[in-house]
Amino acid sequence: MSLKRSHYYHLKGSTPIPEGWDGIRVGSETCTRLLPTSRDIRRISEEMDAGVLSLVTPVAGPDEVNDVLNIILTSAGLRWNEVVVNDWGILDAAGGLEGIQITAGRLLMRFRRGPGAFDPWDELDLSSRRYLAWGPLYDSPFLALLKKKGVSRIELDLPRHWFPLPDLNGFRFSLHRGTRLISVSAACPWLYDTEKRAWNPTAGCDRTCTGHSDMVMTSPAVDGSLLLRGRAVLERVEVDTGELKLPDNVDRIIFDPVS
Amino acid sequence: MKNPQILVPVNALDEVLPLLEAGAHWLYGGVLPREWADRFPWIVPLNQRTFESAQFPSLAELEKAINRTRTKGRAFALTLNAPYYMDEQVPLVVELARWAGRAGAEALIVADPGLIVTLRKEGVELPLHLSTMGIAANARSVNFYAGHGITRVILPRFLSLAQIATLIKAMPSVEYEAFILVGKCPHIEGLCTFIHDSPDRRWPCEWPWDLADETGGHPPGNISKHFAGIRESDRRDGCGLCALPALKAAGVSIFKIVGRGAPLERKLQLVRQLSRLMKEMPPELDETWLRMCKESYRELYGHRCSEHNCYYPEVYSEHRGPKEGCR
């Protein structure tokens, strides 16, 4: 079965979906300032006459949540196919929308992906390996709650050690290739003002981070490196998803822009 | 407006009375029942602590601690705040929740929405307090959780004072708890997947990280400074004392001291200092109050405060004065 491939599309520029790709994703898992405006939503909907259009949304602050919902509501009336949600309040409000698929984002799912001081994998029994690799997918009441809120698709990224996915009928899965999401900065590093010794308000952010390549984070405490992209801390994943035994309901691969 | 109360962690019976006498109104802590500890390693947490000294050593001792707390007219909350529990773990967690109710705990601190639903379904009636691991960062999220039985929200650490005020005004029907001392996290903890298992309790967010631009250039100066600040600060020196009047005015009713597993003497120092300042708190921030808070900070932590330790850095930035620099 061929996997549909979705590519992260940045708001800069407006081009058709590249050949070989099945859809585009717009927005951010980690920052409300990287969301498209309602006007962008309409424009993209008009320009893209084929393929899956996915709107990706983050956790929202008290002064942001209604704006994020308005963008989602705008998309629901247009050609947008999917909204990826990482905020419980947004899920609660958007879950009943008709005409749009609600997807649980990686952050809503709460997978454990980060490095720690140790890698105990070899000493762990099956149960603990399940916990680390795919634990939230064994949390039935949580999954039932997602279903009740209208979630039909779940986003995943790869655990530090491969472990077979559970058979979960009732959901489709999108698998991130290229990175796993480790953490989110509490204060955006790009907003730090060295003169004021404070972080400038988010509302004034001009998306400086989008004009820069990723920052590579290294530490003597850990092998390998992490990436700082905006306020997201990511880890590059080298695994070829084509080599993995994936269940049939993993039917979408998401490529990060630099993978 | 009611006076806010102080909440502080406890992990041994003999800590209870000293902490209450120092001024604490609420105690919170956790325990690993034998059945859990026998089945799951530290990396599979029952509550958000992976080291032994943060837990009560036994259910028996915890029960006595809860009793002792209640005898003094104060309250205890049990932490069951792992971000998720697998189905095979849930019966143990529910049983512990039931035990906590029988033992006299006043509340459970929870994070997993699946567990929240299950507890009510299983007839566990204890009030539920939402951990920061549950990430209620806006009124709609609070509303979602309140609809499932949450009666108190522990505010995510990254919210500004203005955001806190906006949120509480929009959703006044639950109680709110705010971090005040110790444990400032550079990441959003409810979204953080770093594994906190280092035996020296220096978590990955505190490791010394070097940054380089992926194309080979230097990172922008402010990025480097941001990370340098985190590296040079000790996240345990977190503080929000200056903001107490603003938090109270916004409607926060519980002030939280972090530090499960910290030595008793340290916790007593923190409770006493916070208790003293709460008695002297003016209705609004003023220079006398800020000076008092900064002196308290230096007494508690042995150095000047900085924006990297400040829970509400907008206050730090506005009031630090021209001569204050890094410590």
Side-chain angles (χ1 to χ4, degrees), chain A residues 60 62 66 69 87 89 110-112 114 117 127 130-131 138-140 182 184 186 192 197 199 213-214 216 218 236, chain B residues 41 83-84 87-88 112 137-138 140-141 163 186 188 192-193 195 197 208 210 212-214 222 226 307 316 320 325:
Chain A
N66 289 335
L69 272 168
D87 182 293
R110 313 149 304 159
F111 294 109
R112 303 286 92 188
S127 175
R130 258 199 305 270
Y131 180 88
Y138 292 91
D139 183 348
S140 297
I182 305 295
V184 184
Y192 184 63
R197 289 182 51 205
W199 291 266
S213 53
D214 295 338
V216 178
T218 53
R236 188 162 274 142
Chain B
Y84 57 86
D87 293 343
E88 64 192 270
D112 174 13
N138 55 67
R140 291 188 181 267
S141 296
Q163 288 178 318
I188 298 177
C192 185
T193 79
I195 308 289
D197 61 347
D210 291 316
D213 188 299
E214 201 178 31
N222 62 334
H226 167 97
E307 69 276 25
Y316 173 85
R320 73 180 166 93

Side-chain angles (χ1 to χ4, degrees), chain A residues 128-148:
Chain A
S128 297
R129 287 184 174 188
R130 258 199 305 270
Y131 180 88
L132 271 192
W134 303 117
L137 299 182
Y138 292 91
D139 183 348
S140 297
F142 168 72
L143 295 175
L145 192 53
L146 291 182
K147 262 274 171 237
K148 193 174 163 192

Side-chain angles (χ1 to χ4, degrees), chain A residues 168-195:
Chain A
L168 278 184
N169 296 319
F171 290 102
R172 316 295 296 175
F173 293 97
S174 302
L175 178 61
H176 281 257
R177 172 182 169 158
T179 65
R180 57 174 72 91
L181 185 46
I182 305 295
S183 197
V184 184
S185 300
C188 179
W190 297 86
L191 290 177
Y192 184 63
D193 186 319
T194 53
E195 288 295 318

Side-chain angles (χ1 to χ4, degrees), chain B residues 21-315:
Chain B
E21 281 158 14
H25 305 87
W26 275 85
L27 303 179
Y28 73 101
V31 67
L32 287 191
R34 173 61 55 202
E35 300 91 322
W36 185 283
D38 284 347
R39 279 175 67 179
F40 302 108
W42 285 106
I43 205 165
V44 180
L46 171 61
N47 52 64
Q48 275 296 96
R49 286 298 180 269
T50 56
F51 49 97
E52 201 169 346
S53 62
Q55 315 287 350
F56 268 84
S58 68
L59 286 172
E61 183 164 334
L62 176 53
E63 186 168 11
K64 286 180 190 162
I66 295 172
N67 255 315
R68 200 169 278 188
T69 307
R70 287 176 63 87
T71 306
K72 290 294 180 184
R74 309 291 170 84
F76 181 89
L78 178 70
T79 55
L80 293 175
N81 58 344
Y84 57 86
Y85 298 99
M86 298 192 297
D87 293 343
E88 64 192 270
Q89 299 170 316
V90 169
L92 287 176
V93 181
V94 171
E95 183 43 45
L96 183 57
R98 287 200 179 106
W99 174 90
R102 290 192 302 268
E106 292 283 344
L108 303 170
I109 302 174
V110 292
D112 174 13
L115 178 68
I116 292 168
V117 167
T118 300
L119 286 171
R120 286 300 184 249
K121 195 171 149 205
E122 294 291 326
V124 175
E125 297 293 340
L126 274 174
L128 302 177
H129 297 174
L130 184 73
S131 163
T132 49
M133 298 301 295
I135 284 280
N138 55 67
R140 291 188 181 267
S141 296
V142 173
N143 184 61
F144 162 75
Y145 280 113
H148 287 88
I150 292 291
T151 57
R152 182 189 294 179
V153 167
I154 303 167
L155 291 161
R157 285 182 241 225
F158 66 93
L159 292 179
S160 68
L161 288 172
Q163 288 178 318
I164 289 171
T166 300
L167 195 164
I168 296 177
K169 190 173 173 190
M171 272 294 295
S173 56
V174 302
E175 283 186 310
Y176 292 91
E177 184 178 306
F179 289 83
I180 298 298
L181 284 170
V182 187
K184 168 142 184 196
C185 185
H187 299 117
I188 298 177
E189 66 181 312
L191 304 179
C192 185
T193 79
F194 277 120
I195 308 289
H196 289 41
D197 61 347
S198 315
D200 61 359
R201 295 183 223 160
R202 292 285 163 185
W203 310 137
C205 42
E206 302 174 271
W207 294 345
W209 292 100
D210 291 316
L211 257 73
D213 188 299
E214 201 178 31
T215 60
H218 292 296
N222 62 334
I223 306 291
S224 296
K225 288 276 188 188
H226 167 97
F227 275 84
I230 293 171
R231 196 167 51 238
E232 289 157 15
S233 311
D234 186 331
R235 65 167 188 86
R236 286 162 187 73
D237 297 354
C239 175
L241 291 173
C242 293
L244 292 180
L247 289 168
K248 182 182 172 185
V252 172
S253 54
I254 308 287
F255 292 150
K256 178 169 182 166
I257 295 173
V258 179
R260 287 179 57 200
L264 173 63
E265 231 9 83
R266 183 59 176 152
K267 289 188 284 197
L268 287 173
Q269 226 184 346
L270 295 164
V271 173
R272 285 181 190 129
Q273 195 73 274
L274 178 56
S275 187
R276 180 182 70 80
L277 285 169
M278 282 169 67
K279 290 185 180 98
E280 301 184 53
M281 191 166 57
E284 285 174 5
L285 269 64
D286 59 36
E287 290 306 317
T288 306
W289 168 251
L290 292 168
R291 205 164 33 246
M292 206 186 308
C293 290
K294 287 177 184 180
E295 282 162 10
S296 296
Y297 185 94
R298 200 188 267 277
E299 273 177 49
L300 286 172
Y301 295 117
H303 58 80
R304 278 199 293 234
C305 59
S306 86
E307 69 276 25
H308 294 284
N309 294 124
C310 188
Y311 271 119
Y312 308 102
E314 63 271 35
V315 178

Side-chain angles (χ1 to χ4, degrees), chain A:
Chain A
M1 169 185 177
S2 69
L3 292 169
K4 287 190 185 297
R5 303 193 301 169
S6 282
H7 178 61
Y8 253 110
Y9 173 82
H10 206 277
L11 278 178
K12 280 187 183 174
S14 166
T15 59
I17 296 175
E19 198 174 314
W21 301 96
D22 301 295
I24 65 165
R25 294 159 62 84
V26 185
S28 171
E29 296 169 286
T30 56
C31 181
T32 52
R33 288 296 295 157
L34 297 178
L35 290 174
T37 62
S38 294
R39 191 171 157 195
D40 290 325
I41 291 285
R42 288 190 199 94
R43 172 175 63 82
I44 293 169
S45 179
E46 284 158 16
E47 288 176 359
M48 305 290 180
D49 56 7
V52 175
L53 296 185
S54 299
L55 173 62
V56 183
T57 63
V59 167
D63 41 347
E64 300 166 325
V65 64
N66 289 335
D67 290 340
V68 177
L69 272 168
N70 281 338
I71 294 169
I72 293 173
L73 284 170
T74 302
S75 74
L78 300 171
R79 212 186 69 62
W80 289 79
N81 307 99
E82 177 188 37
V83 176
V84 181
V85 177
N86 286 288
D87 182 293
W88 279 106
I90 290 174
L91 179 62
D92 197 34
L97 283 176
E98 288 194 11
I100 198 154
Q101 171 194 284
I102 302 291
T103 295
R106 294 191 275 188
L107 292 171
L108 196 79
M109 292 304 297
R110 313 149 304 159
F111 294 109
R112 303 286 92 188
R113 292 291 178 254
F118 305 110
D119 184 2
W121 187 260
D122 290 342
E123 284 84 46
L124 295 179
D125 64 13
L126 278 180
S127 175
S128 297
R129 287 184 174 188
R130 258 199 305 270
Y131 180 88
L132 271 192
W134 303 117
L137 299 182
Y138 292 91
D139 183 348
S140 297
F142 168 72
L143 295 175
L145 192 53
L146 291 182
K147 262 274 171 237
K148 193 174 163 192
K149 293 297 171 190
V151 172
S152 56
R153 180 175 285 275
I154 291 173
E155 290 201 346
L156 313 169
D157 50 20
L158 286 171
R160 308 192 71 73
H161 296 270
W162 173 247
F163 194 81
L165 271 158
D167 284 325
L168 278 184
N169 296 319
F171 290 102
R172 316 295 296 175
F173 293 97
S174 302
L175 178 61
H176 281 257
R177 172 182 169 158
T179 65
R180 57 174 72 91
L181 185 46
I182 305 295
S183 197
V184 184
S185 300
C188 179
W190 297 86
L191 290 177
Y192 184 63
D193 186 319
T194 53
E195 288 295 318
K196 291 188 212 164
R197 289 182 51 205
W199 291 266
N200 289 319
T202 307
C205 165
D206 61 0
R207 299 175 173 169
T208 309
C209 62
T210 63
H212 283 265
S213 53
D214 295 338
M215 300 291 144
V216 178
M217 297 169 60
T218 53
S219 172
V222 69
D223 291 335
S225 61
L226 302 180
L227 298 174
L228 177 72
R229 181 178 298 166
R231 65 194 293 199
V233 179
L234 303 157
E235 185 174 22
R236 188 162 274 142
V237 175
E238 303 293 344
V239 171
D240 181 353
T241 45
E243 296 171 359
L244 300 172
K245 268 185 157 179
L246 299 171
D248 288 344
N249 52 357
V250 178
D251 62 1
R252 194 175 288 170
I253 299 293
I254 299 166
F255 286 83
D256 283 339
V258 294
S259 69

